[in-house]
């Protein structure tokens, strides 16, 4: 294949794809790897492949991410000798910038956060447990009766409840 980057070496067998990537990171000319999970074979390349074609032995292709900045200050990732904007190496800050607005607009996120906060407060605060005793009594008394009935019943009833 004329589009295939030059192979600079291989290692086998290696335990994991992370070990393959670490070998590549330790070689100055290595910029990409092909990892074959079934055979634990690791190919090392001086450049990444633009369109990986291997589909045998659970193959996967990886490239070392190199950050770059254009003259106007726009950040990106170096791919095939060009700084590609719109792609960046994930960091705590970049993840927070993208995920926090999504979380803040999500009702499901708010409900889970509130539920976990209430559960935590109930577990660690005797005052909070005392304040919620009337509410928890409404839930636990019928729930306890149902549980006692369930434990005493036969397999058929348990099976029907399970369905």
């Amino acid at each position: 294949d004329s589009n295939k980057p030059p192979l600079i070496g291989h290692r086998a067998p290696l335990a994991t794809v992370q070990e393959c990537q670490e070998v590549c990171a330790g070689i100055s000319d290595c910029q990409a790897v092909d990892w074959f999970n079934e055979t634990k074979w690791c190919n090392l390349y001086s450049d990444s492949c633009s369109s990986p074609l291997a589909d045998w032995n659970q193959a996967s292709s990886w490239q070392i991410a190199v950050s770059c900045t254009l003259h106007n200050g726009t950040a990106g990732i170096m791919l095939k000798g060009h700084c590609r904007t719109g792609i960046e190496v994930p960091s705590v800050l970049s993840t927070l910038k993208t995920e926090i607005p999504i979380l803040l607009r999500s009702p499901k996120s708010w409900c889970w956060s509130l539920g976990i906060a209430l559960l935590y407060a109930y577990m660690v605060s005797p005052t909070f447990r005392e304040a919620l005793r009337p509410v928890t009594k409404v839930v636990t008394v019928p729930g306890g009766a149902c549980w006692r009935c369930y434990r005493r019943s036969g397999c058929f009833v348990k099976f029907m409840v399970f369905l």
Side-chain angles (χ1 to χ4, degrees):
D1 181 10
S2 61
N3 293 331
K4 188 174 182 179
L7 181 70
I8 58 172
H10 68 273
R11 301 288 189 279
L14 296 177
T16 64
V17 67
Q18 289 81 11
E19 191 175 340
C20 178
Q21 292 167 339
E22 288 170 10
V23 168
C24 181
I27 300 171
S28 62
D29 291 344
C30 187
Q31 292 297 309
V33 300
D34 282 347
W35 170 250
F36 298 89
N37 196 47
E38 286 180 3
T39 59
K40 307 298 183 194
W41 189 273
C42 175
N43 285 338
L44 307 167
Y45 296 97
S46 59
D47 197 5
S48 63
C49 181
S50 57
S51 299
L53 300 175
D55 61 356
W56 56 90
N57 296 331
Q58 295 178 340
S60 59
S61 295
W62 303 82
Q63 178 182 353
I64 293 178
V66 178
S67 297
C68 59
T69 306
L70 294 177
H71 66 287
N72 65 2
T74 306
I77 296 288
M78 187 66 70
L79 295 173
K80 296 286 194 183
H82 299 285
C83 187
R84 308 287 181 176
T85 60
I87 308 171
E88 62 181 294
V89 177
S91 67
V92 172
L93 185 60
S94 70
T95 303
L96 290 175
K97 281 182 182 178
T98 57
E99 294 303 318
I100 291 218
I102 295 168
L103 290 173
L104 291 175
R105 289 189 302 266
S106 168
K108 190 184 291 186
S109 172
W110 282 99
C111 288
W112 278 106
S113 297
L114 179 62
I116 290 169
L118 290 173
L119 178 63
Y120 178 78
Y122 184 80
M123 291 172 62
V124 299
S125 170
T127 307
F128 192 72
R129 278 195 301 275
E130 188 59 38
L132 285 182
R133 187 175 304 280
V135 175
T136 57
K137 200 172 201 178
V138 171
V139 175
T140 57
V141 170
C146 289
W147 176 248
R148 283 188 297 279
C149 179
Y150 177 77
R151 280 191 0 200
R152 291 184 192 134
S153 64
C155 290
F156 178 74
V157 172
K158 288 180 182 176
F159 179 74
M160 294 307 287
V161 169
F162 179 73
L163 290 177

